[in-house]
Amino acid sequence: PGSDLKVTGIDFLKSENSRQHHTDGYNISSLVVRRGQPFQLRVSLSRELRAADKLQLRFGIGKQPMKIRETLMSLNPRREQDLGGWHISIVKNNGKECLLSVTSSPRAPVGIYTLNVKTGTNIYKPENNAVYLLFNPWCEDDVVFLDNEAQRKEYVLNDTGCIYVGSAYNIYNRPWNFGQFEEFILDACMYLLDKSKLKLSNRRDPIFVSRAMSALVNANDDSGVLLGNWSGNYKNGTSPMDWIGSVSILQKYYKTKKPVSYGQCWVFAGVLTTVMRCLGIPSRCVSNFNSAHDTEENLRVDVYLNERGEKMNSMSLDSIWNFHVWNDVWMRREDLPKGFDGWQAIDSTPQEQSQGIFQCGPCPLKAIREGDVYLPFDSKFVYAEVNADKVYWLVKKMNGRDKFIRLSTETQGIGVNISTKAVGENKREDITSQYKFPEGSREERKSMENASSFIRPSGLIPRSHFAAGVPMNNMDSKPVVLSETVSKTGLQLEITKQAALYPGNPLELAITVKIATPGNWTIDFAGSCQLQSYTGKVKATLGYIKETINLDGESEIQVPLNIAPDAYMNTLSLVEDEVYILITAIAEVQGMNDKLTKEMTMSFEYPPITVQMPEVARLNEDFTCAFIFKNKLNMPLDNCKLRVEGLGIFKMSTFDQGDVKPGRIMKSEIICTPTRLGEKKIVAKLTSTQIKGISVEKGITIIE
């Protein structure tokens, strides 16, 4: 008989396999494939393979791969498929070469497998024998299967995008580089999988994987990726406002294995999207406007105003964030009754513990929409974020004590304009209807009743820290589902800006008071202007007006509210966060017990950054990209930094521009060498002591 059969080499056929598996973007020397889909290997042998020969490919995962645990697959081309649902077959056998096709199970644990080949008693270990196995949205039998090529392109393969921020009626986008294919990102995700301590059998399940990652992207319990910080002081780290993508965050984390400073919600969501897309789970960033926090007990947020109409921070246990960003991931839910497949909300911003850890989700959007808040995971919490009611209280000093007077109730102000980036284009898609039925519809009422049977809506006792010890006179404490306050006299308030809100200019605002009932009315009016951070925390009080207005019959009056630049310029340089302008108005018709409150958040407006570069460039050929900014504001911008990044074109770079005086133009240039083909984006962000968030993105096509 012939000599012993030995393996002399293995070709992982990386370029063909990775093209078919949509993994050719990964910047890594190992083979990366998706589960449930065949890939080919070419094995070189010491002699021709015969019928009697024993040849076995062994794929192992984890510290001690074992067949019984389905963490060791021994694949023999001439035998039935392996226990774990893997199969192997011979495609071609000629001379000393054998072409094999391997299909992993669509339920295989995701992670790094090592391959060795056994022939008789010989074992061959290839040099780089790691094979990375990912979730597969292209495979029908994988629970993350997404039956739409355009959506797979967006939610799995797109490595750039944007995150919507601002306020409900003033939404803008922040470009964000997800960069799931960049160097070390896949390894960082594999490190997180190991760190999650998930049993290998749970690593096959996107429910466990996405929940574990929602916990690991924040550093709260497990020295995960990002340390949250909302203090306004970011001295020993990077301000959350300064990041333009996930790449430098995950690379730094992987290198140091220590939490990176600092994150806020959009940074957590951006990084979690990167991790999910990198592992092959379809994912998107979701921005909820007027997002309620900490209402799990009662589906209600209390807002306290003083007699000038100013919002009081210190009172409230709850808060309403201008916006809050989390993620949706796509999967079938085989652990739940039928009908809860599809998008699931997960959130890595540390707000509330779930099962003792800062993690949130996955929670089916359908459960939130229909009020099925008994379903796992964290459906009550997410339901409240988008559906809580808002109650305004006036806090009056009476004989040295606080008296709480209920002003009005809003049932439709929370959870509006829920937004994500549209598939295949740079547009905002409104996905509110995936989270909620239309306000006031019959389905919405049913959903609310359903949810209220699991969450206790509260009676109308203020939940303030201070109100706790106050005896309540004539207050209902029976649980009620609140209804919108309706005015008896048709009283209406409208808040508008008279001119663009450029920092350094006076803020010219106006509040219109209308009444729709004939008669002679006297109205007590108060309006205030404050600066607040996106979490709803007041940073400074800028000014207020308080007056008595007389209106005759069906008429209106416009009350101007003007704020001089000196009133807010100082705060802009002291606060390291981007601030919003909050205008609050209170009106009360005398003798009618008719009260109304209205508030509006607006953002400052900034001059743009322009990017000059060609529309098309060639692979590996240099081109120049210029960033130009003219300071059209009536104020100097101190300590300007321009951060730029172009995935597949150049690494993240920072230009220190020093102080830019009014009217001055700054110009920065970078020489770019494209290393990857296709549509690419360049992102730039300018920050200074006074303003934090001017950003721009521009596309370029790289051809051969």
Side-chain angles (χ1 to χ4, degrees):
S3 54
D4 257 7
L5 178 68
K6 285 197 177 105
V7 173
T8 57
I10 286 187
D11 184 347
F12 284 91
L13 303 174
K14 189 167 180 262
S15 66
E16 297 93 313
N17 284 327
S18 55
R19 255 203 318 278
Q20 282 167 357
H21 284 251
H22 307 92
T23 56
D24 41 355
Y26 289 97
N27 185 350
I28 194 165
S29 57
S30 302
L31 177 63
V32 183
V33 288
R34 298 184 189 275
R35 62 187 192 175
Q37 183 176 334
F39 60 93
Q40 296 195 339
L41 301 172
R42 187 182 289 131
V43 182
S44 306
L45 302 162
S46 57
R47 60 170 174 75
E48 189 167 1
L49 183 67
R50 306 182 191 137
D53 288 326
K54 286 198 167 76
L55 172 77
Q56 232 178 33
L57 263 59
R58 307 205 305 179
F59 290 91
I61 186 172
K63 293 222 171 23
Q64 288 174 306
M66 285 157 81
K67 285 188 185 175
I68 185 113
R69 290 206 190 124
E70 291 189 22
T71 55
L72 176 65
M73 276 38 80
S74 296
L75 307 178
N76 189 322
R78 299 223 169 77
R79 257 199 275 138
E80 283 310 289
Q81 66 167 11
D82 173 76
L83 310 160
W86 292 52
H87 13 212
I88 184 169
S89 59
I90 298 177
V91 181
K92 261 211 313 253
N93 178 20
N94 58 348
K96 294 181 178 179
E97 277 188 347
C98 188
L99 188 62
L100 298 169
S101 170
V102 178
T103 308
S104 61
S105 159
R107 295 191 58 251
V110 163
I112 304 174
Y113 287 75
T114 50
L115 168 67
N116 56 55
V117 185
K118 197 174 173 201
T119 50
T121 55
N122 299 310
I123 288 184
Y124 174 81
K125 274 202 174 110
E127 187 106 335
N128 173 2
N129 69 340
V131 176
Y132 289 66
L133 190 65
L134 307 180
F135 289 101
N136 193 352
W138 283 263
C139 167
E140 239 169 285
D141 295 326
D142 194 320
V143 287
V144 300
F145 175 61
L146 180 56
D147 194 9
N148 178 315
E149 183 55 26
Q151 288 181 5
R152 292 189 291 242
K153 258 199 166 115
E154 181 68 55
Y155 298 134
V156 186
L157 299 180
N158 196 352
D159 57 356
T160 63
C162 59
I163 297 175
Y164 290 94
V165 297
S167 50
Y169 301 104
N170 188 357
I171 298 173
Y172 57 99
N173 68 345
R174 249 180 220 159
W176 192 267
N177 282 336
F178 299 116
Q180 65 268 36
F181 301 119
E182 301 306 295
E183 196 176 20
F184 303 125
I185 302 300
L186 181 55
D187 280 320
C189 293
M190 293 300 167
Y191 170 73
L192 287 172
L193 272 180
D194 284 340
K195 208 173 151 47
S196 73
K197 302 227 174 9
L198 279 177
K199 297 205 297 267
L200 277 164
S201 58
N202 285 343
R203 279 206 203 180
R204 54 176 96 239
D205 191 337
I207 297 168
F208 290 108
V209 171
S210 58
R211 186 162 176 78
M213 293 301 143
S214 84
L216 273 164
V217 164
N218 67 67
N220 283 45
D221 324 273
D222 39 35
S223 69
V225 180
L226 268 167
L227 205 55
N229 182 345
W230 284 265
S231 70
N233 173 1
Y234 311 114
K235 290 282 178 289
N236 315 326
T238 302
S239 154
M241 287 301 309
D242 292 355
W243 303 111
I244 52 181
S246 314
V247 180
S248 43
I249 297 171
L250 282 163
Q251 284 175 342
K252 186 173 180 185
Y253 177 70
Y254 183 59
K255 201 170 141 185
T256 63
K257 309 286 193 278
K258 285 190 182 66
V260 176
S261 306
Y262 293 102
Q264 288 179 6
C265 69
W266 68 92
V267 190
F268 288 111
V271 171
L272 190 52
T273 297
T274 301
V275 171
M276 292 290 111
R277 288 185 184 178
C278 187
L279 293 172
I281 300 174
S283 173
R284 62 187 185 186
C285 287
V286 173
S287 302
N288 177 38
F289 291 90
N290 297 346
S291 192
H293 279 231
D294 293 340
T295 58
E296 185 144 33
E297 293 315 301
N298 65 357
L299 265 188
R300 191 183 95 208
V301 180
D302 293 311
V303 180
Y304 300 93
L305 307 176
N306 66 15
E307 296 183 57
R308 297 173 169 184
E310 292 162 353
K311 188 166 112 174
M312 300 158 77
N313 269 346
S314 52
M315 287 263 166
S316 199
L317 297 167
D318 304 326
S319 57
I320 297 166
W321 290 21
N322 278 331
F323 65 88
H324 177 41
V325 192
W326 60 74
N327 301 81
D328 285 344
V329 282
W330 180 270
M331 64 187 72
R332 289 201 291 270
R333 286 298 293 268
E334 295 175 345
D335 58 324
L336 297 180
K338 264 206 177 1
F340 291 102
D341 299 340
W343 289 115
Q344 320 280 322
I346 59 175
D347 191 345
S348 56
T349 299
Q351 304 169 68
E352 289 276 318
Q353 290 188 334
S354 168
Q355 298 179 323
I357 297 177
F358 284 97
Q359 57 189 358
C360 178
C363 165
L365 265 52
K366 184 182 153 80
I368 300 163
R369 194 162 174 241
E370 302 192 344
D372 293 325
V373 295
Y374 53 88
L375 286 171
F377 289 94
D378 309 302
S379 50
K380 278 188 179 139
F381 182 69
V382 184
Y383 184 86
E385 286 183 302
V386 297
N387 282 306
D389 292 328
K390 190 167 166 185
V391 182
Y392 289 98
W393 300 86
L394 178 63
V395 185
K396 272 191 172 164
K397 280 266 181 275
M398 297 188 74
N399 322 327
R401 301 187 65 169
D402 283 335
K403 184 169 194 283
F404 294 84
I405 298 156
R406 181 158 67 104
L407 287 169
S408 59
T409 302
E410 263 185 37
T411 63
Q412 302 186 0
I414 301 269
V416 298
N417 299 342
I418 304 175
S419 303
T420 190
K421 178 189 169 306
V423 172
E425 40 185 359
N426 281 337
K427 288 216 304 242
R428 184 178 75 85
E429 184 188 351
D430 191 300
I431 54 170
T432 312
S433 63
Q434 298 180 31
Y435 274 86
K436 319 167 73 158
F437 288 109
E439 291 289 352
S441 65
R442 210 191 63 210
E443 294 91 348
E444 187 229 8
R445 275 202 294 280
K446 231 176 97 180
S447 163
M448 207 68 190
E449 279 162 23
N450 191 10
S452 302
S453 62
F454 303 101
I455 306 177
R456 198 182 66 250
S458 62
L460 284 175
I461 298 176
R463 272 182 85 210
S464 127
H465 296 291
F466 304 106
V470 178
M472 290 296 148
N473 22 5
N474 66 31
M475 292 231 183
D476 298 321
S477 62
K478 285 195 297 293
V480 280
V481 176
L482 302 183
S483 57
E484 196 87 9
T485 301
V486 182
S487 161
K488 304 170 184 162
T489 56
L491 180 64
Q492 269 185 320
L493 294 169
E494 249 171 47
I495 299 167
T496 47
K497 57 181 178 192
Q498 307 298 87
L501 302 170
Y502 287 117
N505 288 9
L507 307 179
E508 300 175 37
L509 306 160
I511 301 165
T512 308
V513 186
K514 296 184 187 175
I515 223 156
T517 312
N520 193 296
W521 307 105
T522 305
I523 297 159
D524 292 325
F525 172 81
S528 76
C529 182
Q530 294 170 302
L531 290 183
Q532 68 166 19
S533 74
Y534 87 100
T535 61
K537 214 176 165 157
V538 173
K539 297 285 187 184
T541 292
L542 306 184
Y544 71 97
I545 24 177
K546 208 168 182 286
E547 51 186 69
T548 305
I549 296 170
N550 287 301
L551 278 183
D552 236 350
E554 304 171 44
S555 58
E556 58 179 72
I557 187 169
Q558 199 175 61
V559 184
L561 176 55
N562 290 330
I563 309 289
D566 316 353
Y568 66 83
M569 292 300 291
N570 197 19
T571 307
L572 280 192
S573 3
L574 290 176
V575 181
E576 289 194 44
D577 295 306
E578 191 172 17
V579 285
Y580 295 82
I581 302 159
L582 169 71
I583 305 102
T584 314
I586 308 178
E588 185 172 357
V589 183
Q590 287 185 5
M592 281 297 291
N593 187 22
D594 196 0
K595 303 185 195 67
L596 194 62
T597 1
K598 177 93 189 220
E599 63 175 23
M600 187 83 182
T601 317
M602 297 177 182
S603 310
F604 282 108
E605 294 163 57
Y606 310 118
I609 303 170
T610 43
V611 184
Q612 290 180 346
M613 65 177 182
E615 287 184 10
V616 178
R618 291 188 181 279
L619 197 62
N620 301 323
E621 283 182 23
D622 291 1
F623 66 91
T624 306
C625 180
F627 301 93
I628 299 157
F629 174 78
K630 180 175 182 182
N631 182 4
K632 296 180 183 162
L633 302 173
N634 288 326
M635 63 181 207
L637 297 177
D638 306 331
N639 185 18
C640 289
K641 281 190 174 53
L642 181 74
R643 288 178 178 77
V644 296
E645 183 176 47
L647 301 181
I649 297 174
F650 58 86
K651 282 202 162 47
M652 167 94 160
S653 323
T654 304
F655 297 96
D656 274 316
Q657 301 289 355
D659 303 345
V660 180
K661 301 271 177 291
R664 213 193 105 201
I665 294 177
M666 59 170 239
K667 184 171 181 180
S668 321
E669 288 192 337
I670 190 163
I671 305 286
C672 311
T673 317
T675 55
R676 294 211 292 268
L677 291 169
E679 309 284 322
K680 298 290 160 220
K681 273 198 200 130
I682 285 176
V683 173
K685 178 173 237 173
L686 180 74
T687 56
S688 70
T689 308
Q690 291 83 0
I691 60 180
K692 306 299 181 287
I694 305 183
S695 53
V696 67
E697 60 174 7
K698 189 150 184 179
I700 183 166
T701 307
I702 310 302
I703 57 169
E704 294 207 42

